[in-house]
Structure formats: C-alpha cells, structure tokens
Amino acid sequence: MIPDGCALAVRDGAVCVVGEYGDVRSDRAETGVYANDTQYLGEFEVAVTDHDEPENGWDRLDRRAGPDGVTTVLIGAAPGEGRGDARKFLVKKNVAIDGDVMTVETTLRNYTPKKRVVDVELTAASDFRHVFESPGFLRRATRSIAT
C-alpha cells in the first residue's frame, strides 16, 4: 500500500517513493530510493523560493506516476487578487528511473511579464540502510486478541 500523499515508480528492481511535492524528504520516512534491499537516498529535495514573496508556498496541481518515474506539477500559492496574477510560477519535477540511474529534472516557469528572482536549493543525503532499518518501510503489526 502506498502511503498517503506519496507516489512511486518501480523499474528493474529499483523503487522510488516521493512525497506530496515530488521530493524524498527526511521528515517523510516512507519516501526514498531503494534497490537491492538498500535505501540509497533518504533525502532528495529541490526547493524553490520566490524572493518577492518568500512566505508563499506551493500547491500540487498534478501528479502522474508510471513505471519509468513520477512527475509532480506544483503551482505557486495565490498571492494576488485577480485570476491572472494569482499564479505566478509553475514547478514541474520529473523523477525517472532507468536501470541503476535516477534522474531528477526540475522545470520552473514564470507566467508573469516581469523578471523574477528565485532561490533554488538542492538537498541530497544518503544513508545506505537496509530496508528493514529504514523508518517507515515496515509498519509494526498489531493484533487484537479477544478473551
């Protein structure tokens, strides 16, 4: 069963589980990149912050998952009053698996006529844990015994 808000891609024995915003995050223990019973990536996040409106977050607009990968489309939170100025940015994150290679492609689109300044931060961390040591990979079984 796929955890809530997550999507996965499975190909040639490699498994990539991404969270709601298309990233592998350390605060979502069930996300990660796994192969050969090992969690290779425990964190891989591409964060985009708008200089003019850093407090605005992202809403997930679309998500597609298939055997080759997961594509997540995010749209900037609505800071404006009107419909045309409400959504300034779109971020598309495509995580693809091909054999033992994972590729992450991030596209940022500006839908305003003026130049914008953004920060793009990439975070990656590996821990090379066995899947049985990875938090969130297996859940503790619970049983009720009637007496």
Side-chain angles (χ1 to χ4, degrees):
M1 184 162 149
I2 300 171
D4 290 342
C6 292
L8 71 95
V10 179
R11 186 167 187 191
D12 298 330
V15 179
C16 178
V17 181
V18 298
E20 182 177 1
Y21 296 105
D23 298 307
V24 173
R25 296 177 44 127
S26 61
D27 62 345
R28 292 285 315 254
E30 59 273 15
T31 63
V33 176
Y34 304 90
N36 302 318
D37 295 331
T38 302
Q39 181 185 31
Y40 285 93
L41 279 177
E43 187 167 9
F44 192 90
E45 181 179 6
V46 178
V48 179
T49 305
D50 182 359
H51 270 239
D52 293 336
E53 297 166 14
E55 68 282 350
N56 287 338
W58 298 93
D59 296 321
R60 190 174 79 201
L61 179 66
D62 190 24
R63 157 84 50 79
R64 293 187 191 116
D68 295 342
V70 177
T71 299
T72 306
V73 179
L74 307 175
I75 196 151
E81 296 287 328
R83 183 174 175 173
D85 65 0
R87 304 290 187 174
K88 293 180 174 20
F89 288 113
L90 181 130
V91 174
K92 180 179 176 184
K93 298 178 182 181
N94 186 40
V95 178
I97 298 175
D98 187 10
D100 59 353
V101 175
M102 183 182 96
T103 305
V104 178
E105 180 181 347
T106 303
T107 305
L108 175 64
R109 292 206 173 121
N110 177 7
Y111 285 107
T112 66
K114 66 179 192 171
K115 291 183 180 181
R116 308 286 296 202
V117 177
V118 297
D119 288 330
V120 178
E121 183 179 343
L122 172 67
T123 304
S126 297
D127 44 22
F128 299 104
R129 290 188 288 196
H130 191 277
V131 293
F132 294 136
E133 298 170 356
S134 297
F137 191 80
L138 296 174
R139 294 180 188 210
R140 175 178 282 176
T142 58
R143 292 186 194 177
S144 298
I145 300 174
T147 56

